[in-house]
Amino acid sequence: FFDGDSAEAFENLNPVAVKSSIGDVCKNSALCLSLSPSGEHLRVCPQGYTCCTIEMEEKLSQQSKVEFENLVEETSHNIRTTFVSRHKKFDEFFLELLDNSEKSLNSMFTRTYGKLYMQNSEVFQDLFTELKRYYTGGNVNLEEMLNDFWSRLLERMFQLLNSQYHFTDDYLECVSKYTDQLKPFGDVPRKLKAQVTRAFIAARTFVQGLMVGREVNVVPACIRALTRMLYCPYCRGMPGLKPCHNYCHNVMRGCLANQADLDAEWNVFIDAMLLVADRLEGPFNIEAVIEPIDVKISEAIMTMQDNSMQVSAKVFQGCGQPKPSSMGRSARGISDVFNARFRPYTPEERPTTAAGTSLERLVIDIKEKLKESKRFWSNLPDDICAKGKLTESDEEQCWNSHTKGRYFPEVVKDGLTNQANNPEVDVDITRPDTLIRQQIMALRVMTNKLKNAYNGNDIYFQDSSDEGSASGSGSGCPDGCTTEFVFVGTEAPVIGADRSDERAAAAGKSASPRPTRLLVMAALALPLWALQTRWR
């Protein structure tokens, strides 16, 4: 059955896991012939002369599983590394941007306001802590948090500007109620709230989208078809024979039938990612919002200083005349301190750009990669079966599932419903894969979040104990966007940075549901883009 050269070729080409089992036997052609001239004992490979026992065929089946995992791993390498590396880069950039902005504000305010700022610095520290907590997946309402910041700042400044009086906690609470009515900080709070809210929603949702995109899973149920295509030629004494191109297409389209159904939702998801990327480049540019935040807050403080007499008079009218302080006014007038106008960093003084890059460069890069990833799932069988790599380009000199020769059956279309007549893989089209359906729903959830982020809205998906309700917040949705889905599974936490500070800051707050990764896009159930395989 085998001559010496064929046996040696078989030995060299056979994978390590099965080499000794089959190669040793097939070195002896007489022994090969004596195993079975009909191959009637085989369960997967075609009948006829064979040098494979049933035990060998079982080992080949196991090897087919490993080989398929490797094929998918290699084919998906580029898209996988794209999402992983870009997610890490964006995450590092946003976090470093926040750190730089906080350092800039602290330095400038210390230099300008001195001891007065240092005595009240926790108001500003809390602002940045909450912004970081929101970005890293915390349950933070941005609008409420920003309103609280301005109310606290008003209370502190009101006391400093009226230090000749004593104010009780109840009186200060009354003062804070006049924040919206009096507009002591001018139009800065309104503008900054709109800018920060939209920019942070877009940034966090975009990074969550990168996490979803990198976490996919392959769950074929086609081990028999894979074994027949990849290893049965070995048993027939043709170890160097590659599968026919169309034959490979039918096997892979059957094996990846459910995955192909991800394609439509995947493409919509990619389009939504591109929309938010456009926002990050333009009106929702978080870099343009965060870098000058120290200047904007200082402008608000100057406005409060300029209007302090009118603001105080209206507060005294609404909240009552406060009692004089026993200590009286300090020797140095508070107004003198605030009249030391804030001087922001010059371009040369400002800290180095976050993560050694800019948001514009990051977005331009990721947009190109996102466009390349469209139709990934429907193209996956074609990419795996590329001629010259896995399959034979000569249609007459290839393995056609039972011997060397042309493969005649037509290639079926992709998708589950088109596999009813697949000649190579027995696919039950009445039973869609549960995990794939969950993955499709997870993509829809993320796409919906991205669409809302595009319009400046945030969507919070509650867990099942809240009956699957959803609530939103944001800067408004002028285009009339709506929530299309309500789904269990919510914020995807951003990884890749030390979160100990945020956890410590949140420890004293009321308990809230811990954010979880979006359901089932593989790393939700498996390690990062593990591409593990479930066999039936």
Side-chain angles (χ1 to χ4, degrees):
F1 190 67
F2 276 116
D3 58 25
D5 293 338
S6 295
E8 183 178 357
F10 185 100
E11 174 74 5
N12 292 333
L13 289 169
N14 195 49
V16 174
V18 293
K19 181 184 290 186
S20 60
S21 299
I22 302 174
D24 290 345
V25 173
C26 290
K27 283 179 181 177
N28 189 318
S29 59
L31 181 57
C32 239
L33 285 170
S34 67
L35 288 177
S36 175
S38 64
E40 58 187 14
H41 59 287
L42 299 180
R43 299 175 181 175
V44 177
C45 293
Q47 303 294 300
Y49 286 112
T50 182
C51 66
C52 289
T53 64
I54 191 170
E55 290 80 14
M56 294 175 185
E57 191 180 57
E58 176 59 32
K59 289 183 178 181
L60 288 170
S61 296
Q62 296 171 9
Q63 183 65 25
S64 295
K65 171 185 175 181
V66 175
E67 184 74 5
F68 183 79
E69 290 173 344
N70 291 338
L71 286 170
V72 176
E73 165 77 17
E74 293 170 7
T75 307
S76 62
H77 176 76
N78 286 339
I79 186 174
R80 182 163 42 84
T81 54
T82 291
F83 279 93
V84 171
S85 62
R86 270 55 177 193
H87 170 271
K88 184 175 183 291
K89 196 69 174 177
F90 269 90
D91 191 35
E92 289 176 350
F93 177 82
F94 289 138
L95 289 170
E96 192 170 330
L97 186 67
L98 278 169
D99 285 339
N100 286 350
S101 182
E102 184 175 10
K103 291 174 184 176
S104 172
L105 184 145
N106 184 68
S107 176
M108 291 297 97
F109 276 39
T110 298
R111 185 177 66 184
T112 303
Y113 305 122
K115 188 176 180 181
L116 285 178
Y117 165 70
M118 291 185 282
Q119 290 172 341
N120 297 277
S121 61
E122 75 276 3
V123 175
F124 303 93
Q125 291 170 358
D126 289 348
L127 169 66
F128 283 96
T129 296
E130 288 301 286
L131 288 174
K132 290 176 186 177
R133 197 162 72 88
Y134 172 82
Y135 173 73
T136 55
N139 187 18
V140 177
N141 185 302
L142 283 176
E143 289 194 0
E144 290 180 3
M145 183 271 292
L146 290 169
N147 288 339
D148 181 62
F149 166 73
W150 292 113
S151 295
R152 291 178 66 194
L153 187 58
L154 173 60
E155 291 177 14
R156 298 297 178 94
M157 284 200 63
F158 188 80
Q159 292 179 83
L160 292 172
L161 292 167
N162 295 278
S163 58
Q164 68 272 35
Y165 296 107
H166 171 71
F167 299 102
T168 64
D169 290 342
D170 289 340
Y171 195 97
L172 292 175
E173 185 176 347
C174 178
V175 172
S176 67
K177 293 179 180 177
Y178 281 84
T179 306
D180 291 337
Q181 180 182 337
L182 297 176
K183 292 184 170 53
F185 300 109
D187 207 28
V188 173
R190 183 188 66 81
K191 290 181 178 179
L192 193 60
K193 180 167 67 174
Q195 293 169 344
V196 168
T197 300
R198 294 181 304 185
F200 269 78
I201 289 170
R204 182 172 79 162
T205 307
F206 189 77
V207 172
Q208 290 173 358
L210 288 175
M211 180 175 287
V212 170
R214 76 187 195 178
E215 294 163 354
V216 291
N217 190 35
V218 178
V219 283
C222 56
I223 190 169
R224 290 175 62 86
L226 288 168
T227 303
R228 180 181 286 261
M229 182 183 80
L230 296 172
Y231 288 109
C232 286
Y234 287 76
C235 295
R236 295 284 290 171
M238 296 176 280
L241 195 62
K242 293 182 178 180
C244 297
H245 189 64
N246 288 348
Y247 172 37
C248 178
H249 270 289
N250 276 338
V251 171
M252 291 302 167
R253 289 187 177 182
C255 288
L256 298 169
N258 282 282
Q259 282 71 24
D261 286 347
L262 280 167
D263 207 53
E265 206 61 52
W266 173 265
N267 292 337
V268 174
F269 160 71
I270 295 298
D271 286 338
M273 288 286 288
L274 289 168
L275 285 174
V276 176
D278 288 337
R279 287 293 207 212
L280 289 175
E281 280 186 301
F284 295 1
N285 187 322
I286 192 172
E287 190 173 23
V289 171
I290 292 301
E291 277 198 342
I293 198 171
D294 49 3
V295 178
K296 294 177 185 295
I297 293 175
S298 183
E299 288 174 359
I301 291 174
M302 293 300 105
T303 301
M304 172 74 179
Q305 159 66 16
D306 293 341
N307 300 318
S308 61
M309 292 184 65
Q310 298 94 314
V311 170
S312 297
K314 290 182 180 179
V315 170
F316 293 160
Q317 183 179 358
C319 299
Q321 188 69 23
K323 295 179 180 181
S325 171
S326 58
M327 298 179 62
R329 181 179 285 273
S330 60
R332 182 187 178 192
I334 298 297
S335 350
D336 295 337
V337 177
F338 283 109
N339 277 332
R341 291 286 173 169
F342 177 78
R343 183 180 72 81
Y345 276 121
T346 64
E348 293 76 22
E349 292 174 320
R350 185 167 288 281
T352 306
T353 305
T357 185
S358 69
L359 184 60
E360 182 182 7
R361 288 198 293 270
L362 286 174
V363 172
I364 291 174
D365 171 66
I366 192 60
K367 283 173 68 175
E368 290 302 312
K369 300 300 182 182
L370 286 170
K371 291 173 184 177
E372 292 172 5
S373 71
K374 291 193 72 172
R375 294 188 56 80
F376 169 75
W377 293 106
S378 58
N379 289 335
L380 187 56
D382 298 344
D383 293 339
I384 291 176
C385 294
K387 288 183 178 180
K389 183 179 179 182
L390 178 66
T391 61
E392 175 58 57
S393 56
D394 187 342
E395 293 298 326
E396 300 293 342
Q397 300 295 317
C398 56
W399 175 253
N400 62 13
S401 80
H402 57 279
T403 190
K404 180 195 292 186
R406 178 177 292 274
Y407 181 78
F408 291 102
E410 293 184 2
V411 177
V412 298
K413 295 179 179 179
D414 56 42
L416 183 63
T417 57
N418 293 314
Q419 303 309 308
N421 298 317
N422 191 314
E424 308 303 334
V425 186
D426 184 16
V427 181
D428 187 351
I429 64 172
T430 65
R431 298 181 61 187
D433 187 274
T434 303
L435 181 57
I436 297 299
R437 300 305 112 178
Q438 289 175 326
Q439 290 178 339
I440 289 174
M441 184 57 72
L443 278 174
R444 287 178 179 172
V445 170
M446 192 67 244
T447 299
N448 190 50
K449 287 170 67 65
L450 288 163
K451 288 179 177 178
N452 278 281
Y454 176 78
N455 289 309
N457 288 335
D458 209 359
I459 299 297
Y460 301 100
F461 292 89
Q462 308 298 328
D463 61 26
S464 56
S465 63
D466 295 324
E467 298 181 354
S469 61
S471 62
S473 71
S475 59
C477 191
D479 300 326
C481 55
T482 58
T483 304
E484 301 172 5
F485 306 97
V486 178
F487 184 68
V488 178
T490 158
E491 314 295 352
V494 181
I495 65 170
D498 185 1
R499 304 294 188 247
S500 57
D501 291 344
E502 287 77 15
R503 286 194 293 269
K509 301 181 182 294
S510 57
S512 59
R514 183 176 179 84
T516 57
R517 297 188 179 195
L518 282 171
L519 260 186
V520 196
M521 291 307 293
L524 308 166
L526 300 171
L528 166 66
W529 247 76
L531 292 170
Q532 292 182 356
T533 310
R534 186 178 69 211
W535 302 90
R536 301 192 185 107

